[in-house]
Amino acid sequence: MLQAEIKSLFKEDISILIKVPNSAKHYLCDCGEASLLTVKEVQSVSAVFISHTHIDHFSNFDGIFRHQIGSGEKVVICGPENIHQQIEARLKSYTWNLIDENAIEYEIREIVSPEEINVYKIRPPHWNLEEVKTQDFLFEDEYVTVDFAILDHKTDSIAYLFKGKDSVSFNENVSEFKKGKWISELKNAFEKNETNKAIEIEGTVYKASELFHLLTRNEGYKLGVIMDHAAEEGNYEKIKTVFSGADLVYIETFYKDEDQEFARLNHHSFASASGSIMKACKVKEAIPVHFSRRYTENDRLEIETAFYKAFKD
């Protein structure tokens, strides 16, 4: 099951780290201040997901790549339209005469539309962008696939859904056979839909499809991160399309209900609106995050109370 940790203290800008259990693989959502983010964690980040490049979501990008330079790894960066130019500008603003070209490679994936992802590569010391290709998916590795929604925050703001890979389990309590290597062969046939594959058990050969009832497909855990967005129907329809039925979602809840006018003017969400859309999506668990710095700890508790009332009632 994917695990997420908020790495920002109250009144710090948002940054959320997603970890894969029993793996050194981490994913970072947004690069705001993150007092709780360790150097070791940064060095384990294989992909960074930027919602948008307002300063409170992007200001710590320099601190992130400072601890990644020299790793020799390829790190993927996903973000909204023009993210490649903004990263190029940040990297070129420093002097890199002591860094060689093998110190790191960034692969930047610019989200233009749901079907158009432009891929670029950039390396030290000159940090010149190389356009590689255009693809129709955002991110997939051996642990997760990542879907997204392009929300309106008077600029594109990308909301991300991380889905762990589906797993297949063996139902030992309904099997009459002894355990053996045939189980892994059966799982492999099940995943590849090889219904006629021969599976030998205790001297008898079966078609794989005859044994599929011994297996159960377990859907991967779905973890969402929805940052700044206007509280409006257009955004909600996109959120429903991508995040319905998710296991856990962290969602921007910038304002108290009594400050809805500020939310409207600044294209943000507010407590009960964020809670209501999570209820409409029927997510199993939702957590409000990213509150305005104008608020005190008591205000935060008020926001959380209104959020959960709308989410659970």
Side-chain angles (χ1 to χ4, degrees), residues 177 196-208 210-211:
F177 306 114
N196 292 320
K197 182 178 176 63
I199 305 293
E200 183 176 346
I201 308 174
E202 301 170 13
T204 302
V205 177
Y206 300 87
K207 286 200 308 182
E210 297 176 312
L211 303 169

Side-chain angles (χ1 to χ4, degrees), residues 139-155:
F139 184 87
E140 181 175 7
D141 64 12
E142 65 269 40
Y143 300 107
V144 301
T145 57
V146 181
D147 197 1
F148 64 92
I150 304 173
L151 305 182
D152 176 34
H153 179 49
K154 206 175 180 180
T155 186

Side-chain angles (χ1 to χ4, degrees), residues 112-137:
V112 178
S113 74
E115 298 80 27
E116 183 180 353
I117 313 296
N118 293 331
V119 181
Y120 302 83
K121 289 184 180 180
I122 192 167
R123 283 178 167 275
H126 302 297
W127 302 109
N128 293 320
L129 277 170
E130 174 191 349
E131 187 168 1
V132 178
K133 60 182 177 180
T134 297
Q135 60 191 36
D136 59 2
F137 70 96

Side-chain angles (χ1 to χ4, degrees), residues 130-261:
E130 174 191 349
E131 187 168 1
V132 178
K133 60 182 177 180
T134 297
Q135 60 191 36
D136 59 2
F137 70 96
L138 182 61
F139 184 87
E140 181 175 7
D141 64 12
E142 65 269 40
Y143 300 107
V144 301
T145 57
V146 181
D147 197 1
F148 64 92
I150 304 173
L151 305 182
D152 176 34
H153 179 49
K154 206 175 180 180
T155 186
D156 286 354
S157 180
I158 312 299
Y160 297 100
L161 180 70
F162 296 79
K163 181 185 176 185
K165 295 297 180 71
D166 293 350
S167 63
V168 177
S169 58
F170 173 64
N171 303 317
E172 182 179 357
N173 59 336
V174 299
S175 173
E176 301 174 354
F177 306 114
K178 293 180 181 178
K179 289 183 178 180
K181 67 176 184 179
W182 66 269
I183 296 176
S184 61
E185 294 173 353
L186 179 63
K187 287 183 178 180
N188 186 59
F190 182 79
E191 290 176 339
K192 295 181 178 179
N193 198 31
E194 295 175 344
T195 57
N196 292 320
K197 182 178 176 63
I199 305 293
E200 183 176 346
I201 308 174
E202 301 170 13
T204 302
V205 177
Y206 300 87
K207 286 200 308 182
S209 59
E210 297 176 312
L211 303 169
F212 282 171
H213 68 281
L214 300 176
L215 304 177
T216 299
R217 181 178 296 280
N218 306 299
E219 189 174 4
Y221 190 82
K222 295 180 181 179
L223 191 156
V225 177
I226 302 173
M227 282 296 111
D228 301 8
H229 62 285
E232 62 184 25
E233 193 58 36
N235 280 335
Y236 294 155
E237 289 305 313
K238 294 176 183 178
I239 290 172
K240 290 175 187 176
T241 298
V242 175
F243 294 89
S244 288
D247 294 283
L248 170 63
V249 176
Y250 292 80
I251 183 168
E252 176 251 322
T253 313
F254 206 70
Y255 287 108
K256 297 194 295 184
D257 279 7
E258 66 186 56
D259 293 330
Q260 289 182 40
E261 183 60 20

Side-chain angles (χ1 to χ4, degrees), residues 48 50 53 58 61-62 65 76-79 82-93 106-109 122 127 129:
V48 179
I50 304 297
T53 52
F58 198 50
F61 179 74
D62 295 25
F65 73 67
V76 174
I77 303 172
C78 301
N82 297 320
I83 186 72
H84 61 297
Q85 295 174 344
Q86 292 169 299
I87 289 172
E88 179 187 31
R90 296 288 286 270
L91 293 170
K92 283 186 172 181
S93 68
Y106 283 114
E107 181 175 293
I108 304 169
R109 301 183 183 182
I122 192 167
W127 302 109
L129 277 170

